[in-house]
Amino acid sequence: MSLRLPLLITGVPGVPGYNALFHFGHKYPGQVVGLRPTDNWRLEGEHIVACDMEDLDALKRLFDEHQFGSVLHCAGSCALKSCELDPAMAWRINLEGTRNLLHILEGTNTRLVHLSIDLVFSGVGEGNMLETDSTDPVTVYGKTMAAAESLVSLMRPDATIMRISLPMGVSFNGHAGAIDWIQSRFKKQRPATLYYDEVRTPTYTDCMNLAFEEVLSRPLPGIYHAGGPTRLSLFEIAQIINRVGGYDPDLLMGCMRVEAGPIPPRAGNVSMNSAKLVEHLGFEPFHSWPYDSRYIPTHREWHYDRSVDEVGSAELLEQILYCNPLREEGSVRPPFVR
């Protein structure tokens, strides 16, 4: 089967949506529309439309104009602390926006791929979460995403729900991505404290785009995990960024979640098992992040273990952490914000 066009990508200010917009926009010129909130005026482009998901009438007009064949739904507020401090905002954006989209899609054959998150789990166990495991989120963000999953499953049972983890790719403003904040601390010679016991399955956006394209092009109803094959704690992710970027190793601190503040609450080991998606696609779309096992930490002092001829740099970090060198051929990525 082929992808039904035109394609709408919601939530393009976020890292998955932003990178998907460049990927699909290059492959299908003039057939892709990116949706951003009206207050995010910094994000502009020829095929980027300002429209709030909560504005049902505006959303209807957009669909009437373009008659979308497919939707990659990436929209939502993922700022953990903001969601905890303003739950009404989180529910409005993450649930009501999805409800509006589903209302508009009712009675159509538009293909829907809905992105969710690994944080629908608490991570109290050993990770390796399966699609059949019960959701038990500890954050407002996770609760709203779990509710959105249920709504999509109820109202659009033919849709694909893809739970992603940390998307590793370029952000539109240079500070919206998983790598951005950590690197910004080190660049400014400021310490960064990350958790030993929050474990994720980070994924290159280069690989995510490939998986999105495959899933959009075939009937694949239900929930699928879409995390990378390598499990890493937030502390280990920061170790990688510190060493690859050539930053001062003394700037990296680590602690257990229990030692952190109460807001936002933190999940534990929410690493996902994505074997179901691999089986249904017939191939493994995800490379390990980072792609080279030499850059995977082996102990808590690993970021200090640098040979005299090892040269880390911001340029190297861009080349191998934001981008997947194994996906260079045919990849179209957004420009870096420096």
Side-chain angles (χ1 to χ4, degrees), residues 7-21 24 35 53 70-78 90 93-95 97-99 101-102 105 111-120 141-153 156 158-168 200 203-216 220 222-227 272 277 286:
L7 167 66
L8 173 67
I9 302 175
T10 69
V12 293
V15 174
Y18 185 58
N19 284 267
L21 180 63
F24 287 102
L35 203 63
M53 296 292 298
S70 302
V71 177
L72 178 60
H73 184 36
C74 309
S77 175
C78 62
I93 293 176
N94 295 339
L95 184 63
T98 299
R99 190 191 305 276
L101 176 63
L102 292 168
L105 294 180
R111 180 84 176 95
L112 174 62
V113 174
H114 171 82
L115 295 197
S116 188
I117 192 69
D118 53 3
L119 295 178
V120 297
Y141 171 53
K143 292 171 184 176
T144 62
M145 297 302 284
E149 285 186 5
S150 297
L151 192 63
V152 172
S153 297
R156 197 77 184 189
D158 63 330
T160 303
I161 298 170
M162 296 180 73
R163 289 179 181 147
I164 65 171
S165 185
L166 293 175
M168 299 309 204
R200 314 289 290 274
T203 316
Y204 283 109
T205 54
D206 293 330
C207 295
M208 292 172 69
N209 289 335
L210 175 62
F212 294 157
E213 186 161 6
E214 290 289 333
V215 172
L216 281 164
L220 210 63
I223 297 174
Y224 292 83
H225 287 174
M272 295 186 296
L277 179 63
F286 306 122

Side-chain angles (χ1 to χ4, degrees), residues 118-125 129 134-138 257 266-270:
D118 53 3
L119 295 178
V120 297
F121 299 113
S122 67
V124 296
M129 308 304 298
S134 298
T135 59
D136 58 344
V138 298
R257 289 174 295 138
R266 305 296 310 202
N269 189 338
V270 293

Side-chain angles (χ1 to χ4, degrees), residues 281-300:
L281 292 183
F283 69 98
E284 170 62 84
F286 306 122
H287 293 141
S288 172
W289 185 95
Y291 81 102
D292 191 328
S293 61
R294 291 178 301 168
Y295 298 113
I296 296 177
T298 53
H299 56 88
R300 288 187 181 174

